[in-house]
Amino acid sequence: MAEPRPPGPQGDGRDSPAAGAAAAAAAAGPRERPEQAEDRQREDAESDWSADSWSDYGSRDKPGTTLGRTVPDGNVLFPDIFHTNHLLFYERFSAYQDYILADCKASEVKRFIAEYLEKVLEPSGWQAIWRTNVFEVLVGVVDVNFPALKAVVQLSEPFLCESQDSSFTLECMQELLELKEHQVLLQELWVVYDESGEFDQTALAIEHVRFFYRCIWRTWDEEEEDEFDYFVRCVEPRLRLHYDILEHRVPSGLVADYQNLLSQCEELYEKFLNVRNSISSNDSDSEAENVSMVEGLKLYDQVEHLKQRLKLIENPLLRYVFGYQKYGSLQAKGLRSTGAKVIHVVPWTMKANLLQLLTRDKLCPESCGALEIQFHRDPLSAVNACYEGDRVIICPGHYFVDGMFSIADSIELEGYGLPDDVVIEKQGKGDNFFDCTGANIKISNLKLVQHDAVEGILNVHHGKTTLENCVLQCETTGITVRTSAELLMRNSDLYGAKGAGVEIYPGSACTLLHNGIHHCKEGILVKNFLDEDYEVPRITMVNNMIHNNEGYGVVLVRPAMPSEMKDASAQGTKGTFLCLEETHKTTKSAGDKTACAEDSRQEQPGCVTDELELYKRAETSEQTENNSEIANVLGATSAKKKQIQRKRLSELGFTEADDNLMSQEMFVSVDGNQFKWNGKGSFGIFFF
């Protein structure tokens, strides 16, 4: 990789101050539609716009460059080039939105870029390295063809060229330039470093063009409907996705999916264009042309399908729900060919007394017949060695794991001791920590600590996973129970999630018994299941302590009904939370009772016991009310789905619904849970 040299802004984070990109953008001034430009000409002429827009980032009036320099790779001693590929998200965002593309349509993109370049690009007098896939050569720029986004170049002296073979001689390069009329694409040029600062804006402008055509533009964009703002519809989501990937916010599997889809779409679109061009160039009504038309329609449908899948991944709200099927191909190993089951032991240190205790407590009860025991240094290697029915016993210790646990077979994973004695901590950046797809997985007596994560600490994608007597220290979201999966979580403690502690997807089954869920953004989040393609989840929550979460203890996400939308409009809210007022009423009632008890205590000093009893009763009443409300609202939402299904069946002509089809009532059991000190309340509904 090329090595950057100071000076110049560094870093890749989004929150750093804007630097180089805004300089090129500011030099051009904010973009306006043609009908607006005329109204501002006099105002622009009278203003000192140029001086103001350069003042924050350096200008030609100030000596010295504000950009860094980079030593080019390779064996040829090329001059240093400007270091411009380090620009931050908001630098590029501001440049494209405010100065380059503004509110242009897809068909206007090239013209808007050309107009921008005319304002900021030096038309001649600078050198650059012309880079292609097969060679690099030093050239000098003598003119710029702005409408074509090309530079007119000539070979520099001395002749400097590096290629994959020795065929690119001086004569060969001169002949190539003559064939190209000495014009090369601006995006293929890397501007040679100049300390004066005179060519800073030229280097940045070319960087914006290069990045746009490499990372943002798609060959089919120009055929998009022109009534949409191109920046809002295409540029912003793709730019955000690019930086989400750079900052490891997107799972690696989803990144691979996106790149594969993009390659497939480009390949199919090229085939579609070839078929369409062959049809348009042939006016005959032959059978071959009819076949081509059918083929073209098939290709068009395939391209449109892939484009929609790409858009789902580009949308940060939809990419995980609809665009990501990473675990569908994860295959279980099944039983060993011998049918034997193995106990895998992970010792941190194996002393004689530990081996004796382990044999007494865990190994002897199963020491019948041909029992095989394997020893492993770390938990990940032990899990990877498992087959169906195996068991992993992890001895006390603090284990650091750089990787992900993907469990596709029915196995048991347990710590030998208390959870705080058996700690598995994730090291390094990556996706989620535990992925479970096995039919029956059990994890017990462990403490899981997650760092630098993209997904949650544990994802149940298929089958049933039992989590018992565990501690989960989360990083992003906590536990995710996907559609058709089942989770039983008992006597465990979960905290620290920046999202929800537990996410329950439609069609899943989630049983939470005697757990603590606290210090998360939301305690438990129940995903929308009103869509016709979703089944209702089965939820059991008994005797859990849900406290100190930033938002609500429990949140239900669902679309708003027309009447609810009307109420939201009256309140001026959209896509907002609704908190149940009963909790506040009960709290107020409890406060009133406590106040009455306090007055009584002042009159009768011996009534402290009575006051405490009253307070406990009020608190118990409040918690009972909270549990009832959660169960009632979830049940009512399930009934609403049933009504929607009946209506749809009626519209299709089915007067009597199939009992099996209409039996999708949500099984809800909410009892004995305690909700305390949650920032927004015990239960809320998020309408969208």
Side-chain angles (χ1 to χ4, degrees), residues 106 109 212-219 221-222 230 238:
V109 166
F212 176 80
Y213 281 106
R214 283 189 172 185
C215 303
I216 305 297
W217 180 256
R218 308 286 184 253
T219 53
D221 281 354
E222 203 162 8
Y230 180 71
R238 292 171 187 170

Side-chain angles (χ1 to χ4, degrees), residues 211-394:
F211 181 87
F212 176 80
Y213 281 106
R214 283 189 172 185
C215 303
I216 305 297
W217 180 256
R218 308 286 184 253
T219 53
W220 53 83
D221 281 354
E222 203 162 8
E223 298 189 8
E224 291 283 340
E225 298 176 6
D226 255 3
E227 62 265 25
F228 296 102
D229 186 324
Y230 180 71
F231 178 85
V232 173
R233 183 169 183 175
C234 297
V235 178
E236 181 177 356
R238 292 171 187 170
L239 184 63
R240 290 188 183 278
L241 176 62
H242 177 84
Y243 276 88
D244 283 344
I245 292 172
L246 282 184
E247 296 167 8
H248 305 286
R249 299 174 186 268
V250 182
S252 57
L254 185 54
V255 176
D257 286 352
Y258 184 78
Q259 297 297 339
N260 290 335
L261 287 172
L262 188 58
S263 299
Q264 291 176 36
C265 196
E266 288 173 345
E267 182 180 346
L268 287 174
Y269 185 71
E270 185 176 353
K271 291 181 180 178
F272 168 73
L273 290 180
N274 292 334
V275 172
R276 187 175 67 178
N277 293 336
S278 67
I279 295 174
S280 59
S281 61
N282 189 359
D283 296 332
S284 64
D285 191 16
S286 63
E287 183 178 349
E289 183 178 356
N290 292 334
V291 172
S292 297
M293 290 183 66
V294 173
E295 183 184 357
L297 288 173
K298 288 182 179 179
L299 288 170
Y300 176 81
D301 289 339
Q302 291 175 350
V303 169
E304 287 300 310
H305 176 69
L306 291 174
K307 284 164 63 175
Q308 291 304 316
R309 291 183 63 184
L310 288 170
K311 288 178 181 178
L312 288 175
I313 298 177
E314 290 165 359
N315 187 317
L317 299 177
L318 302 177
R319 66 176 59 139
Y320 299 106
V321 179
F322 300 107
Y324 193 20
Q325 302 296 331
K326 173 182 174 183
Y327 303 95
S329 60
L330 188 60
Q331 297 294 323
K333 297 179 183 176
L335 291 170
R336 287 182 176 80
S337 57
T338 60
K341 296 180 180 180
V342 174
I343 295 179
H344 305 264
V345 179
V346 182
W348 182 245
T349 55
M350 183 56 73
K351 296 181 180 179
N353 60 340
L354 177 61
L355 180 59
Q356 184 179 8
L357 291 172
L358 186 65
T359 303
R360 183 194 68 190
D361 297 338
K362 298 294 181 182
L363 304 182
C364 280
E366 300 186 31
S367 58
C368 56
L371 174 66
E372 181 179 344
I373 301 174
Q374 295 181 6
F375 290 88
H376 303 266
R377 181 62 180 170
D378 65 273
L380 186 57
S381 62
V383 170
N384 290 339
C386 282
Y387 283 75
E388 183 80 12
D390 283 4
R391 185 179 177 192
V392 178
I393 300 173
I394 305 175

Side-chain angles (χ1 to χ4, degrees), residues 294-597:
V294 173
E295 183 184 357
L297 288 173
K298 288 182 179 179
L299 288 170
Y300 176 81
D301 289 339
Q302 291 175 350
V303 169
E304 287 300 310
H305 176 69
L306 291 174
K307 284 164 63 175
Q308 291 304 316
R309 291 183 63 184
L310 288 170
K311 288 178 181 178
L312 288 175
I313 298 177
E314 290 165 359
N315 187 317
L317 299 177
L318 302 177
R319 66 176 59 139
Y320 299 106
V321 179
F322 300 107
Y324 193 20
Q325 302 296 331
K326 173 182 174 183
Y327 303 95
S329 60
L330 188 60
Q331 297 294 323
K333 297 179 183 176
L335 291 170
R336 287 182 176 80
S337 57
T338 60
K341 296 180 180 180
V342 174
I343 295 179
H344 305 264
V345 179
V346 182
W348 182 245
T349 55
M350 183 56 73
K351 296 181 180 179
N353 60 340
L354 177 61
L355 180 59
Q356 184 179 8
L357 291 172
L358 186 65
T359 303
R360 183 194 68 190
D361 297 338
K362 298 294 181 182
L363 304 182
C364 280
E366 300 186 31
S367 58
C368 56
L371 174 66
E372 181 179 344
I373 301 174
Q374 295 181 6
F375 290 88
H376 303 266
R377 181 62 180 170
D378 65 273
L380 186 57
S381 62
V383 170
N384 290 339
C386 282
Y387 283 75
E388 183 80 12
D390 283 4
R391 185 179 177 192
V392 178
I393 300 173
I394 305 175
C395 296
H398 197 127
Y399 301 88
F400 294 93
V401 174
D402 190 357
M404 180 175 64
F405 290 85
S406 297
I407 307 176
D409 290 281
S410 296
I411 67 170
E412 292 186 25
L413 179 63
E414 64 173 301
Y416 181 52
L418 298 174
D420 287 336
D421 297 330
V422 188
V423 182
I424 303 177
E425 183 171 348
K426 182 173 175 60
Q427 278 189 328
K429 291 188 176 182
D431 298 343
N432 48 325
F433 201 176
F434 276 74
D435 287 323
C436 300
T437 60
N440 193 3
I441 298 169
K442 183 176 180 180
I443 302 172
S444 60
N445 301 327
L446 294 175
K447 180 175 182 179
L448 308 179
V449 181
Q450 184 185 34
H451 297 296
D452 295 324
V454 176
E455 297 186 32
I457 196 167
L458 188 146
N459 275 278
V460 187
H461 296 273
H462 304 291
K464 179 180 178 180
T465 295
T466 300
L467 199 67
E468 188 168 359
N469 197 31
C470 290
V471 176
L472 292 87
Q473 180 179 320
C474 307
E475 172 77 9
T476 51
T477 54
I479 299 174
T480 302
V481 192
R482 301 281 181 178
T483 300
S484 75
E486 182 178 355
L487 171 72
L488 169 59
M489 179 177 172
R490 181 164 46 208
N491 298 325
S492 296
D493 191 50
L494 185 152
Y495 60 92
K498 294 184 176 67
V502 179
E503 286 189 1
I504 303 173
Y505 274 68
S508 64
C510 183
T511 302
L512 305 174
L513 307 174
H514 306 278
N515 301 293
I517 300 173
H518 55 98
H519 294 91
C520 303
K521 184 172 179 61
E522 309 288 348
I524 299 169
L525 187 145
V526 182
K527 295 272 191 176
N528 168 50
F529 55 86
L530 281 179
D531 191 282
E532 62 180 326
D533 296 327
Y534 296 153
E535 295 183 2
V536 294
R538 290 173 290 136
I539 301 173
T540 302
M541 293 170 50
V542 178
N543 295 333
N544 298 286
M545 182 67 173
I546 303 172
H547 64 95
N548 288 102
N549 296 291
E550 182 181 337
Y552 292 98
V554 178
V555 176
L556 171 64
V557 179
R558 70 173 180 84
M561 298 295 104
S563 59
E564 295 163 340
M565 289 294 291
K566 193 177 298 182
D567 295 339
S569 300
Q571 297 175 9
T573 59
K574 182 180 180 183
T576 186
F577 280 102
L578 171 67
C579 179
L580 299 182
E581 295 180 354
E582 284 77 4
T583 300
H584 299 293
K585 290 178 181 177
T586 309
T587 305
K588 183 179 179 182
S589 176
D592 292 342
K593 291 180 181 179
T594 305
C596 291

